[in-house]
């Protein structure tokens, strides 16, 4: 039993074409309607238009990533209830078009965060990097967040001051752009003023409060998902720890256990992202998979390499801190178990995530960082080969 092989595609303006995806050997597409503002309804017409485009290229739209959760839902402010109703209508419209897997996240304000998009590796390719000291420079010296000093040691505060003094204007701009302007798939782009205003909306919202808001959101949408046959799969925080004073509530096994204890139906599931979860040394990835295997509805397979200072970068798919052999072995066993139970979701969709920029992609004028063609093709080929070998072995 094989995983369903997909690649993320950002729509008609993506420099990686649907034909490129087919040539890479994937059969499915992970996609979202990024042109529709957060909180608005995805109409049947817009969904079907995108689905037709994908299917005309000989592929299938297997996963929505993401159907964004508006900030007003996370903070439960203003007209959040109407926005939840809009979200439900979008779910209904997706199901009516035959799309049943929806990935989403509940990260406050920022989506996935990196401080550098072109970290050079020894072989000349480029990787995404999160540098904790640069994030502190942004927080303390560029953003100058109110009360930020309380979140760091005196040594870290002094280090940030020294590092900031030694940064060039282009270095300061790079860090600011990468944090505020978002990365591929990010839900919003912020100016410094907008971001500070957004931070104010989270005053008084700690981890417990945000977790409560997530559960209340799930209590509203999961019964509908159950009735429609939709599998909702929440993506872990990336990175899986507090940033800029904002709480993170989907970072550990305990976080997931709380969500599923409160809202038990299997439609309430997980996007098992090995890279995000693997950034924390206290996350036991095989144990997390085993605990929630029956509700893993989507797989992001990538590996990160971390250090003791809180830094990490995107490693090759079969190296880094993730034991990909162990994870894919578990995935295969879970798929076989589902097949024995005649579940409809026997083949779990996966995608190789955050490939390196390499070879000809180094010369292209436009790429989506982490989503260039060749690095992901390499990752998909490696993962496909590993899966083939494990299936032969067990």
């Amino acid at each position: 039993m094989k995983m369903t092989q997909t690649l993320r595609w950002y729509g008609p303006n993506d420099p990686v074409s649907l034909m490129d995806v087919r040539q890479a050997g994937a059969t499915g597409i992970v996609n979202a309607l990024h042109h529709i503002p957060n909180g608005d309804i995805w109409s049947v017409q817009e969904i079907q238009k995108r689905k037709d485009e994908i299917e005309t290229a000989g592929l299938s739209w297997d996963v929505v990533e993401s159907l964004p959760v508006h900030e007003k839902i996370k903070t439960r402010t203003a007209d959040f209830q109407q926005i939840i109703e809009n979200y439900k209508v979008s779910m209904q419209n997706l199901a009516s078009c035959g799309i049943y897997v929806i990935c989403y996240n509940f990260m406050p304000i920022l989506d996935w965060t990196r401080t550098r998009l072109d970290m050079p590796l020894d072989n000349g390719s480029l990787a995404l990097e999160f540098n904790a000291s640069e994030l502190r420079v942004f927080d303390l010296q560029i953003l100058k967040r109110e009360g930020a000093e309380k979140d760091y040691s005196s040594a870290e505060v002094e280090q940030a001051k020294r590092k900031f003094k030694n940064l060039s204007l282009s270095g300061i701009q790079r860090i600011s752009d990468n944090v505020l302007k978002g990365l591929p798939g990010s839900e919003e782009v912020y100016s410094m003023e907008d971001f500070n205003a957004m931070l104010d909306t989270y005053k008084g919202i700690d981890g417990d409060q945000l977790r409560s808001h997530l559960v209340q959101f799930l209590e509203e949408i999961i019964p509908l998902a159950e009735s429609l046959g939709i599998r909702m799969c929440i993506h872990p925080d990336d990175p899986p720890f507090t940033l800029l004073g904002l709480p993170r509530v989907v970072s550990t096994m305990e976080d997931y256990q709380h969500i599923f204890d409160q809202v038990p139906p299997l439609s309430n599931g997980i996007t098992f992202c090995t890279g995000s979860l693997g950034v924390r040394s206290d996350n036991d990835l095989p144990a997390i998979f085993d605990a929630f295997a029956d509700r893993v509805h989507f797989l992001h397979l990538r590996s990160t390499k971390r250090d003791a200072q809180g830094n990490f970068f995107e490693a090759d798919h079969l190296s880094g801190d993730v034991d990909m052999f162990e994870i894919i072995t578990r995935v295969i066993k879970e798929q076989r178990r589902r097949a024995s139970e005649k579940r409809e979701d026997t083949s779990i969709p996966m995608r190789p995530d955050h490939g390196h920029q390499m070879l000809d992609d180094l010369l292209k004028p436009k790429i989506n960082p982490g989503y260039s063609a060749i690095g992901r093709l390499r990752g998909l080929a490696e993962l496909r080969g590993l899966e083939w070998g494990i299936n032969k072995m067990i």
Side-chain angles (χ1 to χ4, degrees):
M1 176 58 63
K2 294 194 301 183
M3 298 177 284
T4 300
Q5 298 172 17
T6 71
L7 284 181
R8 193 169 190 176
W9 182 63
Y10 287 100
N13 295 323
D14 194 325
V16 178
S17 70
L18 290 171
M19 188 57 67
D20 294 335
V21 173
R22 283 194 67 186
Q23 291 177 16
T27 60
I29 290 295
V30 175
N31 188 242
L33 302 183
H34 296 290
H35 61 288
I36 297 179
N38 287 4
D40 287 3
I41 292 171
W42 290 16
S43 70
V44 169
Q45 292 76 15
E46 288 292 323
I47 295 167
Q48 193 62 50
K49 178 182 176 183
R50 181 61 55 82
K51 187 183 181 191
D52 289 344
E53 183 177 5
I54 292 168
E55 291 181 347
T56 298
L59 298 158
S60 58
W61 187 357
D62 292 334
V63 180
V64 170
E65 185 181 355
S66 297
L67 183 57
V69 180
H70 197 282
E71 291 301 315
K72 291 177 181 178
I73 295 176
K74 298 171 191 173
T75 57
R76 293 185 77 82
T77 53
D79 57 343
F80 77 91
Q81 195 63 57
Q82 180 58 56
I83 297 173
I84 291 177
E85 293 306 312
N86 291 353
Y87 199 96
K88 291 179 181 179
V89 174
S90 295
M91 290 170 61
Q92 292 170 326
N93 292 344
L94 284 163
S96 73
C97 293
I99 302 169
Y100 296 103
V101 181
I102 299 176
C103 174
Y104 67 103
N105 73 70
F106 215 76
M107 290 181 262
I109 307 179
L110 296 174
D111 205 308
W112 62 297
T113 301
R114 300 292 184 272
T115 56
R116 187 169 183 179
L117 311 182
D118 57 354
M119 173 187 171
L121 301 175
D122 291 342
N123 63 7
S125 59
L126 305 178
L128 304 175
E129 178 193 28
F130 177 88
N131 184 285
S133 66
E134 289 189 343
L135 198 283
R136 289 193 292 270
V137 167
F138 174 81
D139 196 7
L140 292 161
Q141 298 295 318
I142 302 174
L143 179 66
K144 297 181 180 179
R145 176 172 60 90
E146 181 182 350
E149 293 84 358
K150 295 182 293 184
D151 293 340
Y152 306 108
S153 68
S154 57
E156 288 173 333
V157 172
E158 288 304 312
Q159 181 199 46
K161 290 179 181 177
R162 292 193 302 271
K163 192 176 183 75
F164 179 72
K165 288 180 181 178
N166 292 325
L167 276 174
S168 64
L169 289 176
S170 62
I172 294 170
Q173 191 66 49
R174 167 182 62 82
I175 296 170
S176 298
D177 285 351
N178 291 343
V179 175
L180 293 181
K181 291 190 176 179
L183 295 163
S186 296
E187 296 170 7
E188 298 286 358
V189 175
Y190 298 102
S191 67
M192 200 72 70
E193 294 75 18
D194 291 340
F195 188 71
N196 269 308
M198 286 301 301
L199 284 175
D200 286 342
T201 68
Y202 277 87
K203 285 183 177 178
I205 298 179
D206 59 11
D208 289 340
Q209 191 68 55
L210 184 64
R211 188 175 292 108
S212 174
H213 292 177
L214 170 56
V215 168
Q216 291 175 74
F217 172 63
L218 292 172
E219 287 173 339
E220 295 214 38
I221 67 164
I222 293 301
L224 176 62
E226 283 279 286
S227 68
L228 295 172
I230 283 178
R231 297 183 288 279
M232 300 294 300
C233 39
I234 190 167
H235 190 287
D237 302 323
D238 185 7
F241 43 75
T242 296
L243 288 181
L244 307 176
L246 295 167
R248 302 283 220 182
V249 296
V250 191
S251 297
T252 65
M253 181 186 288
E254 290 72 25
D255 290 337
Y256 273 113
Q257 190 64 62
H258 177 79
I259 295 167
F260 302 140
D261 284 346
Q262 297 299 309
V263 188
L266 284 181
S267 290
N268 184 19
I270 177 174
T271 295
F272 190 78
C273 179
T274 56
S276 297
L277 292 170
V279 165
R280 289 180 61 132
S281 61
D282 59 340
N283 275 340
D284 183 336
L285 268 61
I288 294 173
F289 185 89
D290 287 346
F292 309 120
D294 60 343
R295 59 177 82 236
V296 172
H297 301 319
F298 185 28
L299 295 156
H300 286 184
L301 299 180
R302 63 183 174 93
S303 189
T304 44
K305 185 66 178 177
R306 61 179 182 266
D307 65 21
Q309 286 71 52
N311 310 309
F312 64 89
F313 67 91
E314 306 288 347
D316 291 331
H317 284 78
L318 301 187
S319 63
D321 295 311
V322 173
D323 187 341
M324 202 63 74
F325 176 89
E326 195 65 41
I327 295 302
I328 293 183
T329 298
R330 280 167 159 75
V331 170
I332 290 171
K333 290 179 178 179
E334 170 61 15
Q335 290 183 143
R336 292 181 181 182
R337 186 192 68 80
R338 294 183 187 187
S340 70
E341 295 180 354
K342 295 182 169 49
R343 278 178 52 163
E344 293 183 359
D345 59 340
T346 297
S347 179
I348 303 173
M350 67 79 117
R351 67 175 179 86
D353 205 2
H354 300 182
H356 294 156
Q357 189 177 350
M358 56 174 52
L359 303 176
D360 290 353
D361 283 340
L362 291 168
L363 307 176
K364 293 176 181 176
K366 179 184 178 184
I367 59 111
N368 284 325
Y371 291 92
S372 54
I374 300 172
R376 287 187 296 159
L377 183 151
R378 175 185 172 181
L380 180 61
E382 291 175 341
L383 295 167
R384 181 189 296 131
L386 179 58
E387 180 191 30
W388 184 89
I390 296 171
N391 261 317
K392 284 283 189 179
M393 184 184 69
I394 61 174

